[in-house]
Amino acid sequence: YPPVVDSFAGQSVPELARRFGTPLYVYDAAVIAQRIADLSAFDVVRFAQKANSNLAVLDLVRRHGVVVDAVSAGEIQRALAAGFQAGGVDLPPGAHPEIVYTADIFDRETLEMVVELGIPVNCGSPDMIDQYGEQLARASRAVPGPGASSPPGITLRINPGFGHGHSQKTNTGGQQSKHGIWHEDLAHCVERAARHNLAISALHMHIGSGADLEHLSKVCVAMEQACLTVGPSIHSISAGGGLPTPYRDGEQRVDLTGYFELWNGVRNRLAQTFGHDVSLEIEPGRYLVAECGALIAEIRAVKQMGDNRFYLLDAGFNNLARPILYGAYHPMAIAYNDASEPGRPRPTLSDPARMDSVIVGGPLCESGDIFTQEDGGFVRSRELPAASVGDYLVIGAAGAYGAVMGSNYNSKPLAAEVLVENGQAHLVRQRQTFADIIRGESIPKT
């Protein structure tokens, strides 16, 4: 990011702020389309919608040929509302259902929903196999019909015994992670599935968000070994997600060509061994949407606290929780509100006198409400152009795990969201009102 910006996604930042208010999430559809195109070598791109589940974003990826992963009943309903089709358990081996449910448990609502709608499941715990098989049996007895005697295949998410992520909190492999079926339990799970007349048709591995190529490549080896344990019922493998996204200047993109070749080699060897084609999926979340988004906030106070200068925004960790959760870094820039001070000189990095070393924080009644912090809660300052109350601060690379993690802490409304596509800014989520926040609450009558 340059230190000063006038626009985002071709739209004037001050105009976006005046039109839609702040805090405001803005998404660039063209960036999402490019990230999808990056992964075109894979047979299937399955979006982990937990990263950004706005209906307009889901509709956009669907129009670009992407299918989705859902981790809750609510995400299944979101996918349906965005135009994805339910069903898929009766597709031929290797076919690609539009919605797959992936989790480590079934809550009761979701278990009934996936069976009723025929949505394929990716089981992350051995107990899920029994629960799914038993629910299928109950549904078949209650509503006998074609295919009731031939339950569908299932996918297993395997924890290969190791993990890696940009933070320990995003590490989803190894014995300290709750995710997936432990690799040593795989043979036992094959037996469990057989007791319910379920075929294990696919395997999935995901070791963490922001893993590097060295660790991602180790997944290929573990996947090949796991598939050979299961045998020729496997028709599809999923490389999971975790592709790193550059947040800082100088960070390199992952070698996608090399990464695909690693997985393609695994797929081809399995196909030769099993005597049939094996489909290759990838399941990106953050990779598709992180760089598309920015959080625009207004500077509401500039204050000196001893040696520290603070820019305090009208956005807090109720809007963007990644910094307080795991010290995530986001690029930042100032957008000047020339309507309030026309003709003001624009600071640049070549003019140190016009730059400030600042700590950027939000409005919440929490000391941890700081956007410029590192893992462990260590506060750090950032070199930013001198700015005043009424100017805007743009937090970049905020399209993933931003709005979806929003909360009403301090009774703050969820931010509005805008999607820019083909040069047009569309409001795709209205800002919450106070009535929205307290809807469903009541005071007992005494």
Side-chain angles (χ1 to χ4, degrees):
Y1 266 54
V4 176
V5 297
D6 293 311
S7 63
F8 180 82
Q11 307 290 310
S12 162
V13 170
E15 180 57 31
L16 286 169
R18 286 190 286 270
R19 181 178 172 190
F20 300 108
T22 56
L24 177 68
Y25 274 101
V26 184
Y27 309 125
D28 187 344
V31 173
I32 299 176
Q34 180 58 58
R35 296 286 83 83
I36 293 171
D38 292 347
L39 303 174
S40 60
F42 290 84
D43 297 330
V44 182
V45 178
R46 187 174 298 280
F47 178 45
Q49 65 169 297
K50 63 179 181 171
N52 187 323
S53 59
N54 185 284
L55 292 182
V57 172
L58 295 181
D59 170 71
L60 175 66
V61 301
R62 180 186 59 78
R63 288 187 277 118
H64 283 81
V66 173
V67 293
V68 290
D69 166 82
V71 298
S72 68
E75 285 198 351
I76 291 172
Q77 292 169 315
R78 278 188 170 274
L80 294 171
F84 291 96
Q85 298 300 306
V89 294
D90 53 352
L91 291 174
H96 317 304
E98 295 189 15
I99 307 171
V100 168
Y101 173 72
T102 299
D104 293 300
I105 67 160
F106 284 120
D107 58 53
R108 298 183 186 279
E109 177 188 10
T110 308
L111 179 57
E112 293 177 359
M113 182 179 292
V114 296
V115 170
E116 179 183 353
L117 298 178
I119 291 174
V121 300
N122 182 13
C123 298
S125 297
D127 285 329
M128 292 179 69
I129 300 171
D130 294 332
Q131 293 164 0
Y132 183 59
E134 291 162 3
Q135 183 69 20
L136 281 171
R138 286 192 292 270
S140 296
R141 284 195 296 270
V143 188
S149 61
S150 301
I154 57 173
T155 298
L156 300 185
R157 174 177 177 173
I158 307 302
N159 183 328
F162 61 89
H164 189 73
H166 63 80
S167 163
Q168 181 58 35
K169 294 179 181 179
T170 66
N171 185 331
T172 60
Q175 62 183 356
Q176 291 184 312
S177 172
K178 67 177 183 177
H179 295 295
I181 292 170
W182 190 245
H183 60 104
E184 294 175 341
D185 293 336
L186 179 54
H188 174 61
C189 288
V190 172
E191 297 173 0
R192 277 196 182 204
R195 287 199 296 269
H196 296 284
N197 195 25
L198 293 170
I200 298 173
S201 58
L203 292 185
H204 168 281
M205 287 185 184
H206 172 59
I207 63 167
S209 179
D212 56 38
L213 187 56
E214 177 187 355
H215 288 86
L216 290 171
S217 65
K218 292 179 180 178
V219 181
C220 299
V221 177
M223 175 66 83
E224 189 165 359
Q225 293 172 343
C227 287
L228 293 174
T229 298
V230 176
S233 64
I234 296 294
H235 284 80
S236 180
I237 57 175
S238 172
L243 294 174
T245 296
Y247 284 86
R248 300 174 186 261
D249 289 341
E251 289 183 342
Q252 299 299 309
R253 293 192 175 277
V254 65
D255 177 9
L256 289 175
T257 300
Y259 186 53
F260 170 76
E261 289 304 325
L262 288 171
W263 277 105
N264 196 40
V266 172
R267 177 256 294 277
N268 289 337
R269 289 191 295 274
L270 291 173
Q272 185 174 12
T273 300
F274 295 156
H276 58 71
D277 291 340
V278 175
S279 176
L280 177 57
E281 285 198 11
I282 191 166
E283 191 183 273
R286 191 167 62 120
Y287 183 81
L288 290 193
V289 293
E291 295 166 280
C292 85
L295 175 60
I296 300 173
E298 184 181 352
I299 298 173
R300 297 300 304 154
V302 177
K303 58 194 293 189
Q304 197 74 28
M305 307 291 282
D307 294 333
N308 291 325
R309 190 169 181 80
F310 285 79
Y311 289 175
L312 299 185
L313 315 178
D314 61 0
F317 72 69
N318 59 307
N319 303 116
L320 179 62
R322 294 185 76 247
I324 196 173
L325 285 176
Y326 30 77
Y329 177 96
H330 285 266
M332 295 178 181
I334 297 296
Y336 287 106
N337 185 359
D338 290 334
S340 59
E341 295 186 52
R344 178 175 17 168
R346 298 294 185 88
T348 66
L349 286 175
S350 61
D351 180 11
R354 298 291 296 166
M355 300 294 290
D356 278 337
S357 180
V358 299
I359 295 169
V360 180
L364 302 180
C365 191
E366 291 287 341
S367 295
D369 189 25
I370 298 294
F371 290 114
T372 51
Q373 63 177 290
E374 297 178 357
D375 206 358
F378 298 102
V379 174
R380 296 290 183 264
S381 59
R382 190 83 62 88
E383 290 295 314
L384 288 169
S388 305
V389 171
D391 291 327
Y392 303 106
L393 190 137
V394 180
I395 302 177
Y401 303 104
V404 287
M405 287 180 143
S407 77
N408 291 133
Y409 188 53
N410 284 191
S411 290
K412 293 280 189 176
L414 296 180
E417 296 173 70
V418 166
L419 176 69
V420 179
E421 187 172 14
N422 298 323
Q424 298 296 316
H426 306 276
L427 181 64
V428 295
R429 183 188 180 114
Q430 294 181 351
R431 189 176 311 280
Q432 267 189 323
T433 65
F434 179 70
D436 294 328
I437 294 175
I438 64 170
R439 184 171 291 114
E441 296 184 35
S442 61
I443 299 174
K445 295 181 179 179
T446 58

